[in-house]
């Protein structure tokens, strides 16, 4: 790239930055898609001075924008880390609940084992009792009928006790199963609630990122609109008769910046003719490779108002 081309690019960027700053300072400046072109051609000395000053202003503005974007990105990264930390805490909470349920299950099994051991001891004691009765029968045959009756009564008691124990065990089992089902239902409810909260938070984060993206797109659109206006200004031929006159034009662009259509939307005839010639002479205009930005540039309306 030769020095004359570099100077031309710097001059255009400086003029574009000046137009953009002017649009933000003056309330009466045209809004989105409606930009006013200042086509007055400065002298060589003034142009070099303006380029130097405007270039510094542009570089300062770019540095401010880059810092702002960096701050926004750091804030976004912090929100994402916070979200990940809350998700990890929720996972730890579910694991703690699972351990509690496991501990309850172990306690239930220990109680069942203790009950079984007690029943075994009781059964052993009854066996010893039966042996002692058998010995007594051998020693006292005359008490055989009484012992038989006592043995039958003991058997009935055993059957009744077994039936009662069985009923009690079934009741305890049903109660434990009901508690376990209730605990499982509560665990699932809490898990679903946590997942819902997490999804809502993710949705809010996505909306925030979308908003930031839209702001970025608007900034890029403003930048390329200024570049397009600078290119048209470079090719615009003005006449004294154009003072205090203006023209609105519509320009349609291809993906590579090729002008596919330009037409007047109304205004001074001389200004409109000069503007149409300037656009056609440019042939291609600056466009962004970003699809979202290009979509807002491919069909734009501009207001051309020469100033003397």
């Amino acid at each position: 790239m030769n020095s004359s081309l570099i100077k031309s690019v710097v001059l255009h960027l400086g003029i574009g930055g000046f137009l953009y700053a002017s649009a933000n300072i003056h309330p009466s400046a045209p809004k989105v898609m409606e930009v006013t072109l200042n086509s007055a051609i400065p002298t060589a000395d003034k142009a070099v001075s303006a380029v130097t000053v405007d270039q510094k202003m542009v570089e300062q503005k770019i540095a401010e924008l880059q810092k702002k974007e960096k701050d926004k990105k750091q804030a976004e990264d912090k929100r994402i880390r916070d979200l990940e930390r809350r998700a990890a805490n929720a996972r730890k909470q579910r694991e703690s609940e699972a351990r509690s349920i496991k501990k309850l299950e172990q306690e239930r099994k220990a109680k069942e084992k203790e009950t079984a051991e007690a029943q075994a001891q009781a059964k052993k004691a009854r066996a010893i009792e039966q042996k002692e009765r058998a010995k007594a029968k051998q020693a006292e045959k005359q008490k055989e009928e009484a012992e038989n009756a006592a043995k039958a009564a003991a058997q009935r008691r055993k059957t009744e006790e077994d039936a009662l124990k069985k009923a009690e065990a079934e009741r305890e089992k049903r109660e434990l199963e009901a508690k376990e089902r209730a605990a499982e239902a509560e665990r699932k409810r809490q898990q679903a609630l946590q997942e819902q909260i997490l999804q809502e938070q993710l949705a809010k984060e996505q909306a925030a990122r979308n908003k930031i993206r839209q702001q970025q797109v608007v900034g890029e659109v403003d930048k390329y609109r200024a570049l397009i206006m600078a290119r048209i200004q470079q090719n615009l031929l003005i006449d004294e008769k154009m003072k205090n006159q203006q023209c609105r034009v519509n320009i349609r662009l291809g993906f590579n910046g090729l002008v596919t259509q330009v037409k007047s939307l109304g205004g001074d005839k001389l200004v409109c003719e000069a503007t149409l010639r300037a656009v056609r002479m440019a042939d291609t205009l600056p466009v962004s490779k970003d699809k979202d930005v290009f979509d807002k540039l491919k069909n734009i309306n501009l207001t051309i108002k020469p100033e003397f």
Side-chain angles (χ1 to χ4, degrees):
M1 181 180 291
N2 57 41
S3 60
S4 61
L5 181 57
I6 292 174
K7 289 180 179 180
S8 176
V9 172
V10 172
L11 176 59
H12 293 162
L13 287 174
I15 293 172
F18 177 77
L19 290 175
Y20 177 76
S22 299
N24 288 333
I25 291 173
H26 299 290
S28 62
K31 298 185 179 179
V32 176
M33 311 311 288
E34 296 292 335
V35 179
T36 301
L37 174 64
N38 296 327
S39 60
I41 300 177
T43 65
D45 292 340
K46 290 182 178 180
V48 173
S49 176
V51 167
T52 302
V53 174
D54 291 343
Q55 181 178 3
K56 290 181 180 179
M57 293 175 63
V58 170
E59 291 174 350
Q60 181 181 358
K61 187 64 177 180
I62 290 174
E64 292 175 356
L65 291 175
Q66 288 176 343
K67 182 176 183 304
K68 185 179 294 184
E69 290 299 324
K70 181 179 179 182
D71 293 343
K72 289 181 180 179
K73 185 177 184 301
Q74 290 177 347
E76 180 183 357
D77 292 342
K78 182 177 182 300
R79 288 194 298 273
I80 292 175
R81 288 195 298 272
D82 291 342
L83 182 59
E84 291 175 346
R85 185 180 66 255
R86 291 195 293 272
N89 291 337
R91 182 172 62 255
K92 290 180 180 179
Q93 179 65 25
R94 293 195 298 272
E95 292 173 354
S96 175
E97 293 175 353
R99 288 194 296 270
S100 298
I101 293 173
K102 183 178 180 180
K103 183 178 179 182
L104 291 173
E105 178 65 14
Q106 291 174 346
E107 291 175 354
R108 182 185 67 80
K109 290 181 178 179
K111 184 175 181 181
E112 290 179 351
K113 182 178 179 181
E114 182 181 355
T115 302
E117 290 176 354
Q119 291 176 348
Q121 291 177 358
K123 183 176 181 181
K124 185 177 179 181
R126 286 193 296 271
I128 293 172
E129 182 182 1
Q130 290 176 357
K131 290 180 180 180
E132 290 176 351
R133 289 176 179 176
K135 292 178 179 179
K137 182 179 179 181
Q138 292 177 358
E140 299 179 5
K141 292 184 179 180
Q142 66 276 14
K143 296 182 180 179
E144 184 176 356
E145 292 181 358
E147 291 176 354
N148 290 336
K151 186 177 182 180
Q155 187 62 39
R156 287 195 299 272
R157 285 197 301 274
K158 179 179 179 300
T159 301
E160 292 173 356
E161 288 174 0
D162 290 344
L164 289 174
K165 289 178 179 179
K166 183 177 180 181
E168 180 65 17
E170 291 178 351
R171 184 185 65 79
E172 291 178 353
K173 181 180 178 181
R174 288 193 298 271
E175 290 180 353
L176 181 59
E177 289 175 348
K179 290 180 180 179
E180 290 175 348
R181 287 194 298 271
E184 179 66 14
E186 178 63 18
R187 185 189 69 79
K188 290 182 177 179
R189 189 185 71 81
Q190 290 295 333
Q191 181 179 358
L193 180 61
Q194 291 293 333
E195 291 177 353
Q196 179 182 357
I197 293 173
L198 183 60
Q199 291 298 324
E200 291 175 353
Q201 292 172 342
L202 289 174
K204 290 180 181 178
E205 291 296 330
Q206 185 61 42
R209 287 194 292 270
N210 291 340
K211 184 177 180 180
I212 293 173
R213 171 60 180 163
Q214 289 300 319
Q215 292 173 348
Q216 293 173 343
V217 169
V218 170
E220 285 295 300
V221 169
D222 290 341
K223 182 183 79 172
Y224 278 95
R225 189 189 306 108
L227 292 174
I228 291 172
M229 294 294 292
R231 179 68 61 80
I232 296 173
Q233 178 189 32
Q234 182 182 7
N235 297 326
L236 187 68
L237 299 177
I238 61 175
D239 185 271
E240 288 293 329
K241 296 178 181 180
M242 297 180 185
K243 280 187 177 181
N244 301 321
Q245 302 298 326
Q246 66 181 23
C247 178
R248 294 182 69 250
V249 293
N250 172 262
I251 303 175
R252 296 191 179 185
L253 303 173
F255 70 93
N256 59 351
L258 180 67
V259 177
T260 60
Q261 179 180 313
V262 57
K263 63 181 179 179
S264 172
L265 299 179
D268 181 75
K269 181 179 180 181
L270 291 178
V271 176
C272 289
E273 290 176 351
T275 300
L276 294 178
R277 282 196 302 271
V279 173
R280 295 189 180 104
M281 287 176 62
D283 190 33
T284 60
L285 296 174
V287 293
S288 173
K289 294 181 179 180
D290 188 317
K291 183 179 182 304
D292 293 335
V293 177
F294 174 73
D295 286 343
K296 294 182 179 297
L297 294 171
K298 65 183 180 181
N299 185 4
I300 60 174
N301 295 334
L302 301 175
T303 298
I304 310 303
K305 185 179 180 181
E307 293 185 358
F308 295 84

